[in-house]
């Protein structure tokens, strides 16, 4: 402990040297500005490191370029603590986004930043590509430094504290269990600088009225975190220290201890935030967030016509059989747990994990069961501390990480119940499925594997990711097979060939483990970067082939949405740009919901066009630049919220509304909650009901302000996509519209995109979203 304490002293001194600590009794804004000044200093540190990277890339020396890349990583990982800040616009997306935040994954030209450079240098060893990606990164960082200097961005105390809490929980719930830097294996460096950034932004608040007990708790938690980090990386948290180990060399038990200390730290920062902002807006309790998430589950959309009903039904029937298989294979797991035989339980887990990973292809049609079976802690605001988190990954954690049979049994009970509900839907509720959902599911999963799963340890604690990818491919083949005879020969050959190629690849990656029946998997931690690169290529090839299939099938299956009111002004809903109409049903307003145009006219959603200037809650008007949904014929369930003032808002359950500076899913709003009306007035909800209505529309305004719909302030974000990711994602589109008046159908009509993304919480902080 003496050593750890010494490290804390070093770390605290290093941070203190950079933070101009405000005098005791500083205001919250002064504390915020001091923290932002610390980050502005880090941004100034970032610029020469990137210049050195560009220079190393130019010399053509790949090894030197990689070394310069790693050396350039630290400052932004400290600044990232403000990534959620609305005032920084799309900068985080341009600097630090991963491919899964983009519709086309790596194919998307808008994908930019550090991870693109990482890919170019480490996986592809392509220096000319790295030169271009580095140049784009430098431009974005230069803009960032301007925004941070003297807090030009206008970061508020609540935004600063929310950013700290969010990043601390993100490291605990997500980053520790995913390969934050897949190709460079430098995740420890990332974690360390995330911690330093949070602490640098937090420290000045200790002088701004933070109660002594909360300050002491935060100090203790940071000290313990620094010690936990030092146990994993003897080089410690000092800014200039180079991590002594690659993250892939850190075993599960050490990751668990680091995760644990991170949760304790995150909880202390959250408590400090609440103490500092008590008057402003209490943070939601984990339990509240969890229960309202269930209420936010989307309703199914009924489609009238489906020319591929038989093909769809055949795929769903195959999954119903897999679901029955899933129930059977969980039985030996329960028996092994009952007998207290943990090695047998782990073997039974591995053998029983496959069926759901096939069925997952259709997860969009049963979001509630998918969450109960397969959610990860990072889908919940407070990670593993969230009472609502459970499912197969909780079983995995209990078996492999915590060696806790009782916890495994409890989690298994939840899985069994959700699987039973799922089997009933697959067997008896054909209204949930259509050719459109089938193809959207196949497209989403075939992109999710290369864009996301491959660079996260899909099964961190069990190391079973190779099994997961294999089963995902089998699930895609099972859904696709019935459609094969109805595709053109070239497209069928392309899809068959790419599915065969995935299977052949597994013959080399996991030789000796039969594709159909093998259960003795090679550990994913043991795969090389080159092998992961080949997985990426195989699944992207499959994804592109499936896109060609979707273009042949889906327009006939469910007529593309007819253009809204004035077609000429509405490129956003071009059917060609968006052949797949997915039934996510979770994101919109009905056709009859109204907005106010500049000039005072009131129009229905169905008559609104791209370019129209609509009234926002802030009192101004902003042009619509995108419809992420515009489907006049869908029939869906909406939550109807009636206020004491006589306003009636209808929105899908997972659509956010601003409440007291936070975002709350419509399905989580209770009687008594005060909604915001025009001019910032509020009115209490007097009734919450469910109604069925026609049309699904979600317009986005250029300035991202909350829109007034039927007189009530509503966010354009939904629980389908975490607001931070959604904001990152929309940034480039917004810029394109602002610059060129150009709009896109990339997100319209139900792009499979939303399935890739972590789901947003039912309640999130940051009223500006
Ligand atoms: C390297 O990247 C450039 C630019 O993206 C591309 O044109 C070129 O084909 C790539 N080279 C190789 C060998 O893949
Ligand atoms: C930041 O504030 C300092 C002190 O007020 C001032 O001297 C400096 O010019 C400001 N810099 C920018 C870029 O606004
Ligand atoms: C996590 O921390 C708690 C309390 O600090 C402790 O009881 C628990 O054993 C720790 N778990 C792990 C896996 O380190
Ligand atoms: C489907 O419905 C039938 C008839 O009601 C019922 O017997 C069967 O158990 C249901 N299937 C599932 C998996 O619940
Ligand atoms: C293509 O794949 C489907 C589904 O696996 C299969 O039924 C069909 O026989 C294959 N066709 C060819 C020509 O390989
Ligand atoms: C890891 O790979 C090595 C050879 O590269 C092999 O000997 C070892 O068995 C593998 N371990 C696991 C867990 O797959």
């Amino acid at each position: 402990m003496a050593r750890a304490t010494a490290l804390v002293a070093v770390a605290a001194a290093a941070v203190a040297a950079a933070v101009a600590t405000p005098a005791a009794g500083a205001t919250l804004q002064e504390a915020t500005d001091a923290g932002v000044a610390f980050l502005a200093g880090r941004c100034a540190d970032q610029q020469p490191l990137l210049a050195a990277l560009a220079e190393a890339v130019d010399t053509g020396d790949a090894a030197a370029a990689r070394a310069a890349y790693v050396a350039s990583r630290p400052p932004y990982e400290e600044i990232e603590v403000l990534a959620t800040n609305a005032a920084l616009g799309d900068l985080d997306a341009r600097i630090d986004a991963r491919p899964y935040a983009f519709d086309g994954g790596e194919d998307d030209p808008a994908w930019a930043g550090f991870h693109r450079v990482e890919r170019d240098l480490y996986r592809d060893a392509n220096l000319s590509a790295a030169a271009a990606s580095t140049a784009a990164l430098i431009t974005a960082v230069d803009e960032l430094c301007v925004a941070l200097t003297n807090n030009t961005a206008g970061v508020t105390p609540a935004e600063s504290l929310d950013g700290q809490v969010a990043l601390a929980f993100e490291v605990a719930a997500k980053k520790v269990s995913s390969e934050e830097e897949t190709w460079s294996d430098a995740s420890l460096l990332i974690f360390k600088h995330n911690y330093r950034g949070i602490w640098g932004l937090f420290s000045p608040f200790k002088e701004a009225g933070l109660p002594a007990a909360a300050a002491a708790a935060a100090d203790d938690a940071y000290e313990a975190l620094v010690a936990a980090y030092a146990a994993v990386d003897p080089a410690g948290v000092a800014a200039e220290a180079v991590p002594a180990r690659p993250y892939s060399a850190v075993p599960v038990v050490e990751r668990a201890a680091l995760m644990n200390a991170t949760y304790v730290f995150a909880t202390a920062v959250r408590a400090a935030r609440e103490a500092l902002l008590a008057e402003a807006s209490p943070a939601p309790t984990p339990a509240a967030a969890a229960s309202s998430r269930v209420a936010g589950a989307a309703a199914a959309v009924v489609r009238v016509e489906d020319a591929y009903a038989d093909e769809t039904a055949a795929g769903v029937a195959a999954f119903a059989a897999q679901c029955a298989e899933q129930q059977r294979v969980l039985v030996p797991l329960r028996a092994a747990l009952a007998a207290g035989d943990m090695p047998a339980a782990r073997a039974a887990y591995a053998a029983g994990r496959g069926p759901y990973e096939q069925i997952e292809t259709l997860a969009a049609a049963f979001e509630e069961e998918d969450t109960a079976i397969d959610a990860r802690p990072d889908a919940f605001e407070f990670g593993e501390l969230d009472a609502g988190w459970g499912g197969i990954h909780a079983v995995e954690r209990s078996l492999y990480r915590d060696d806790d049979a009782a916890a495994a049994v409890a989690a298994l009970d939840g899985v069994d119940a959700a699987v039973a509900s799922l089997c009933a839907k697959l067997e008896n509720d054909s209204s949930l499925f259509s050719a459109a959902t089938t193809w959207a599911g196949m497209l989403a999963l075939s992109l999710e594997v290369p864009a996301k799963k491959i660079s996260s340890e899909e099964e961190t604690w069990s190391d079973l990711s190779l099994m997961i990818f294999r089963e995902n491919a089998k699930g895609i083949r099972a859904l696709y097979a019935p459609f094969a005879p109805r595709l053109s020969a070239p497209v069928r050959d392309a899809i068959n060939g790419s599915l065969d190629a995935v299977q052949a690849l597994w013959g080399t990656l996991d030789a000796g483990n039969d594709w159909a029946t093998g259960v003795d998997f090679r550990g994913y931690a043991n795969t090389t970067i080159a092998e992961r690169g080949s997985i990426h290529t195989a699944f992207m090839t499959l994804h592109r082939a499936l896109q060609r299939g979707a273009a042949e099938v889906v327009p006939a299956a469910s007529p593309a949405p007819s253009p809204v009111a004035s077609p000429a002004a509405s490129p956003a809903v071009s059917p060609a740009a968006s052949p797949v109409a997915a039934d996510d049903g979770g994101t919109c307003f009905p056709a009859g919901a109204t907005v106010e145009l500049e000039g005072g006219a009131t129009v229905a959603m169905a008559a609104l066009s791209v370019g129209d200037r609509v009234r926002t809650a802030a009192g101004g008007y902003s042009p619509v630049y995108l419809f992420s949904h515009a489907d006049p014929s869908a029939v869906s369930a909406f939550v109807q919220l009636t206020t004491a003032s006589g306003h009636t808002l209808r929105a899908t359950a997972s659509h956010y509304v601003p409440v007291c500076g936070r975002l709350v899913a419509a399905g989580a709003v209770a009687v008594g909650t005060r909604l915001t009306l025009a001019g910032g007035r509020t009115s209490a909800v007097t009734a919450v009901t469910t109604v069925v209505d026609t049309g699904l529309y979600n317009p986005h305004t250029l300035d991202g302000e909350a829109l007034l719909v039927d007189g009530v302030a509503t966010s354009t974000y939904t629980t389908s996509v975490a607001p931070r990711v959604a904001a990152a994602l929309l940034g480039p589109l917004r810029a394109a519209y602002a610059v060129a008046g150009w709009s896109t159908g990339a997100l319209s009509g139900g792009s499979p995109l939303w399935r890739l993304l972590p789901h947003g919480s039912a309640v999130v902080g940051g009223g500006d979203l």
Side-chain angles (χ1 to χ4, degrees), residues 90-338:
D90 66 351
L91 284 169
D92 183 59
R94 288 164 58 197
I95 294 171
D96 202 28
R98 282 157 210 291
Y100 68 78
F102 295 86
D103 216 354
E106 290 193 9
D107 284 356
D108 201 314
W111 176 48
F114 277 111
H115 295 291
R116 189 168 186 126
V117 178
E118 181 200 3
R119 188 269 318 254
D120 293 341
L121 287 178
Y122 285 85
R123 196 190 71 203
D124 297 351
N126 184 336
L127 289 173
S128 72
S133 51
T134 302
L137 174 60
I138 287 174
T139 305
V141 167
D142 288 347
E143 289 176 35
L144 174 70
C145 293
V146 171
L148 292 174
T149 301
N150 290 353
N151 196 2
T152 308
V155 177
T156 65
E159 287 168 343
S160 171
L161 289 160
D162 285 345
Q164 296 164 37
V165 173
L167 184 60
F169 276 103
E170 183 179 344
V171 176
K174 180 162 178 235
K175 293 190 175 195
V176 168
S177 65
S178 75
E179 293 182 22
E180 181 62 9
E181 287 265 322
T182 317
W183 313 108
S184 70
D185 208 6
S187 300
L188 284 174
L189 188 75
I190 304 299
F191 304 159
K192 173 175 84 175
H193 287 282
N194 285 169
Y195 298 148
R196 291 178 57 87
I198 297 165
W199 196 241
L201 211 52
F202 176 81
S203 296
F205 285 98
K206 291 194 278 183
E207 308 302 329
L210 182 62
D219 280 338
D220 289 349
Y222 190 65
E223 181 174 335
L225 179 63
V226 168
Y229 183 86
V232 173
D233 173 13
V237 299
E240 309 310 330
V242 176
R245 305 160 84 183
Y247 193 55
S248 60
V250 178
V252 160
V253 42
E254 294 184 31
R255 293 183 188 196
L258 187 61
M259 171 189 276
N260 201 346
T262 309
Y263 270 121
V264 174
F265 176 61
T267 303
V269 174
R270 176 158 56 97
R273 174 206 178 276
E274 277 160 55
L276 287 163
L277 301 180
E279 305 301 300
S281 62
T285 64
S291 60
S292 49
R293 179 169 305 98
V294 175
V301 176
V302 182
R303 284 187 184 277
V304 201
E305 205 194 319
D306 196 333
Y308 290 85
D310 292 346
E311 288 77 6
T312 302
V316 172
F319 280 0
Q322 283 295 325
C323 198
E325 173 70 6
Q326 182 67 72
Q327 290 179 303
R328 273 191 296 278
V329 294
L330 288 177
V331 173
L333 171 56
R334 192 175 280 282
L337 286 168

Side-chain angles (χ1 to χ4, degrees), residues 576-681:
S578 163
V580 179
D583 295 353
D584 87 43
T587 55
C588 315
F589 306 104
T594 61
V595 293
E596 186 188 319
L597 296 179
E598 195 166 34
T602 295
V603 298
M605 286 289 164
L608 189 64
S609 301
V610 164
D612 284 346
R613 293 174 62 83
V614 295
R615 183 148 181 214
T616 65
Y621 295 85
S622 181
V624 171
Y625 75 102
L626 172 77
F627 284 87
S628 57
H629 276 75
D631 183 345
S633 60
V635 178
S636 324
F638 294 87
V639 175
Q640 177 168 300
L641 305 173
T642 308
T643 64
S645 57
H647 291 86
T648 303
L649 173 70
R650 284 158 299 154
T652 41
S654 53
H655 204 109
Y656 285 125
V657 293
V659 174
C660 289
R662 307 184 74 79
L663 297 178
V664 177
V669 169
V671 169
T673 300
R674 298 192 76 84
L675 300 182
T676 305
L677 310 174
R681 288 180 301 124

Side-chain angles (χ1 to χ4, degrees), residues 463 521-528:
D463 206 15
F521 300 93
R522 176 181 174 201
Y524 189 60
N526 202 332
T527 55
T528 64

